[in-house]
Amino acid sequence: MISVAELESLFDDVQLAAPGLAEFSTEALPDIARLGGTLKIAMPITESLPKFFEKLPEAGKIVLGVSDFSKGANPYLAQKEALKWKRFLVKSGRSVRVVPNKTAVLSSATSLHNKLFTDKCIELIKNGKNYYRVIQVQDINSYVERDQARPARDAKVGMLPPKLAQILINLCGDLPRESRLLDPFCGTGVVLQEGVLMGYEVYGTDLNPRMVEYSERNLEWLGRLMGREASFQAAQGDATSFQWSGPVDLVACETYLGPPMSQAPAEIKLKEVKQECRGIILGFLKNLSSQIETGTPVTIAVPAWLRLDGHYERLNLLDEIDNLRYNVVRFKNLGQRDLLYHRDGQVVAREIIVLRKK
């Protein structure tokens, strides 16, 4: 659901058409490479499918896959749909290979491997009577490469996924290129890295001087990878008291999440950790509030902890944040309870909170 909030922050008229499928309006074609939560982009097919298939390039084999988001869809029905259109194409003299369905919706890895976004490699998205053609697929390999190839990494401080870093930035809205992005808990520089790739000037601070050094090394590496110098500034500083220099146009960060945990903490331990995290996060927001202009977007990831009954216990900061001169951004298609990011069984999850300075 966080990906829907990302879309709402960037585009107009976002509607949930089905679980996992959203429609939105935009004047320019989006670049999927900067959308952390979007796996595929498709365009609606406004003509009949026979007419659509008749317009495909005449030469060469057609590769066809179907992702079915319809109510009650399953792999069998998706494959049946693909085979139906294979028969239609074969009757017209075409050679066709169908991508097999292990699930009703083809994975982005399958779509990417089969290049189901090109002239003769087609992925149809079906939702009831509506059809769409996939035109972009998220390049999952590029995320892995720029995450694992970074020269300075530290698993002990947590590994912020590049996709989530993109989402945090995008939840601030569609700001002009060269806007100045601040990450006051920059760690190894993942948010800064993604900000540079989006065209922002980036500014990172961290209490730990080793993390500042890691961010600098990683951004210098990114600059060499891009073939141009990355525009960034980094400094050591305590987010609860530091005075950031220059203008700040947007703030995106993963705040302090507490110590790493491999199992659900005991109640007394959790109480101590929550108190520590609450103090740091509210101290940071109070310090930041006096240094940014009204309307400045601020997106933060704060911790939530897995309990023995399977639910996540949150910090419940919203009332206190309101007193620090921030408005909490509300979304049309989801509520605050939906803005939780975690893997199955992950002990420390991330709750995303999107703010605007009052």
Side-chain angles (χ1 to χ4, degrees):
M1 291 297 288
I2 294 174
S3 58
V4 178
E6 180 185 31
L7 293 176
E8 284 193 31
S9 300
L10 297 173
F11 305 112
D12 297 326
D13 302 324
V14 178
Q15 304 284 342
L16 273 178
L21 183 66
E23 296 179 340
F24 60 90
S25 301
T26 178
E27 294 182 1
L29 185 65
D31 179 7
I32 199 168
R34 66 163 291 172
L35 295 174
T38 298
L39 300 181
K40 303 172 189 178
I41 294 177
M43 295 289 289
I45 298 174
T46 56
E47 58 195 340
S48 69
L49 279 186
K51 288 185 178 180
F52 167 77
F53 283 120
E54 287 170 0
K55 293 179 180 179
L56 294 180
E58 295 181 0
K61 177 181 283 188
I62 299 295
V63 179
L64 177 64
V66 171
S67 289
D68 195 348
F69 287 85
S70 306
K71 187 176 181 179
N74 57 50
Y76 169 77
L77 292 176
Q79 193 79 122
K80 183 179 178 180
E81 182 77 11
L83 292 172
K84 177 178 75 173
W85 293 110
K86 175 182 179 177
R87 290 192 294 271
F88 173 84
L89 288 163
V90 168
K91 284 183 180 179
S92 65
R94 304 303 303 270
S95 175
V96 182
R97 177 174 71 86
V98 166
V99 177
N101 285 81
K102 295 182 179 179
T103 55
V105 176
L106 297 173
S107 70
S108 55
T110 297
S111 302
L112 189 66
H113 175 74
N114 289 279
K115 299 181 179 180
L116 298 181
F117 49 88
T118 55
D119 287 347
K120 291 180 288 187
C121 299
I122 311 298
E123 179 176 355
L124 292 180
I125 288 182
K126 181 178 185 294
N127 183 32
K129 296 181 179 180
N130 297 319
Y131 290 88
Y132 311 78
R133 177 182 181 170
V134 172
I135 57 172
Q136 295 184 52
V137 177
Q138 188 179 76
D139 185 357
I140 54 178
N141 297 323
S142 68
Y143 288 98
V144 174
E145 289 167 2
R146 67 176 182 259
D147 182 29
Q148 297 185 357
R150 292 182 299 140
R153 305 171 79 243
D154 189 341
K156 293 181 180 179
V157 299
M159 305 296 285
L160 179 68
K163 286 185 181 184
L164 181 56
Q166 282 187 322
I167 292 171
L168 294 178
I169 297 169
N170 285 329
L171 287 170
C172 290
D174 187 13
L175 279 77
R177 290 178 65 86
E178 301 183 359
S179 296
R180 195 158 184 252
L181 163 67
L182 170 65
D183 180 353
F185 299 83
C186 65
T188 61
V190 179
V191 168
L192 304 181
Q193 169 185 295
E194 297 305 317
V196 167
L197 291 171
M198 291 181 182
Y200 294 130
E201 292 185 8
V202 299
Y203 179 19
T205 60
D206 199 284
L207 180 62
N208 187 335
R210 184 165 60 93
M211 292 297 97
V212 176
E213 178 193 348
Y214 278 18
S215 285
E216 290 174 338
R217 287 172 56 190
N218 286 332
L219 288 167
E220 289 166 359
W221 165 81
L222 180 64
R224 292 192 296 271
L225 195 67
M226 297 187 302
R228 58 179 175 84
E229 186 176 347
S231 176
F232 73 92
Q233 181 180 351
Q236 180 187 1
D238 184 339
T240 65
S241 58
F242 192 77
Q243 293 295 304
W244 293 283
S245 62
V248 171
D249 299 308
L250 66 159
V251 181
C253 63
E254 177 181 79
T255 64
Y256 179 60
L257 301 183
M261 296 183 182
S262 58
Q263 60 185 11
E267 289 295 335
I268 188 168
K269 175 64 175 177
L270 180 57
K271 185 177 180 180
E272 293 173 0
V273 173
K274 286 180 68 175
Q275 184 175 359
E276 181 186 21
C277 291
R278 180 185 298 273
I280 291 172
I281 293 165
L282 293 176
F284 149 62
L285 288 173
K286 181 179 180 180
N287 181 40
L288 178 70
S289 179
S290 63
Q291 299 186 53
I292 57 176
E293 299 293 331
T294 297
T296 301
V298 178
T299 300
I300 60 175
V302 304
W305 294 270
L306 182 65
R307 309 311 295 136
L308 294 177
D309 63 1
H311 86 281
Y312 281 91
E313 186 166 334
R314 306 182 187 217
L315 282 173
N316 297 322
L317 297 171
L318 297 190
D319 289 341
E320 292 168 276
I321 287 175
D322 182 68
N323 294 331
L324 297 176
R325 295 184 294 169
Y326 295 95
N327 289 316
V328 178
V329 174
R330 307 294 182 182
F331 295 95
K332 180 177 64 175
N333 291 287
L334 66 165
Q336 184 61 40
R337 301 295 298 178
D338 298 310
L339 296 178
L340 197 66
Y341 182 96
H342 61 88
R343 300 184 305 273
D344 288 342
Q346 185 174 355
V347 176
V348 183
R350 299 168 173 97
E351 180 185 3
I352 312 303
I353 301 176
V354 186
L355 309 169
R356 293 291 184 274
K357 168 68 187 303
K358 289 183 181 179

